[in-house]
Amino acid sequence: MNQLVKPGRNLTRQQLIIASTLTLVSAVITYFYWGLGHAQSALAGGCIGIIPNFVFALYAFRYAGARAARQVRESFMKGARIKMLLTAILFGLSFKFLSLSLVAFFGTYILAVISPIIYSAIYRFTFNQQ
């Protein structure tokens, strides 16, 4: 593994673990308050927030360094396009095939999407720390 991408991969791994944990906790709490259907909606919303971010991270941290600047940019852009497309597809499939509780669905989706931002803000991560 390229040492230049190691801090970014570690941060991304931590953020995905936090988002996954919050999604599972949200689904469990939702289950006990509102029942199985709402919990499934919460789990679906959280997964839509997590899966595209995971795919993006795979592309974003493929290459590093000045010699690979073009590859870094192209991989990053490809990851962003795939992330947006995958998010749209997952939303479409969810609305078509699942009976959703919109509050649980969007609440957990938003939680999964903003948790990496909050995590980074709280711990003030910089690449120079590692």
Side-chain angles (χ1 to χ4, degrees), residues 79-101:
R81 285 190 302 267
I82 291 172
K83 176 183 173 179
M84 293 299 159
L85 181 64
L86 187 56
T87 301
I89 289 170
L90 291 174
F91 268 117
L93 291 172
S94 294
F95 288 129
K96 182 163 178 76
F97 295 110
L98 299 177
S99 175
L100 296 174
S101 163

Side-chain angles (χ1 to χ4, degrees), residues 28-91:
V28 168
I29 290 171
T30 303
Y31 173 75
F32 286 113
Y33 277 101
W34 293 319
L36 182 62
H38 294 276
Q40 289 173 334
S41 294
L43 194 57
C47 286
I48 292 173
I50 295 167
I51 293 170
N53 282 332
F54 175 74
V55 172
F56 171 75
L58 291 176
Y59 281 93
F61 296 110
R62 263 193 183 162
Y63 306 102
R67 291 184 180 153
R70 186 174 145 267
Q71 291 172 314
V72 169
R73 181 181 50 81
E74 288 174 2
S75 183
F76 193 88
M77 295 305 291
K78 184 176 182 180
R81 285 190 302 267
I82 291 172
K83 176 183 173 179
M84 293 299 159
L85 181 64
L86 187 56
T87 301
I89 289 170
L90 291 174
F91 268 117

Side-chain angles (χ1 to χ4, degrees), residues 2 9-11 16 18 21 44 51 65 80 92 104-105 111 123 130:
N2 189 326
R9 284 185 179 178
N10 289 338
L11 174 63
L16 288 171
I18 295 289
T21 302
I51 293 170
F105 179 78
L111 181 66
Y123 292 101
Q130 296 196 8

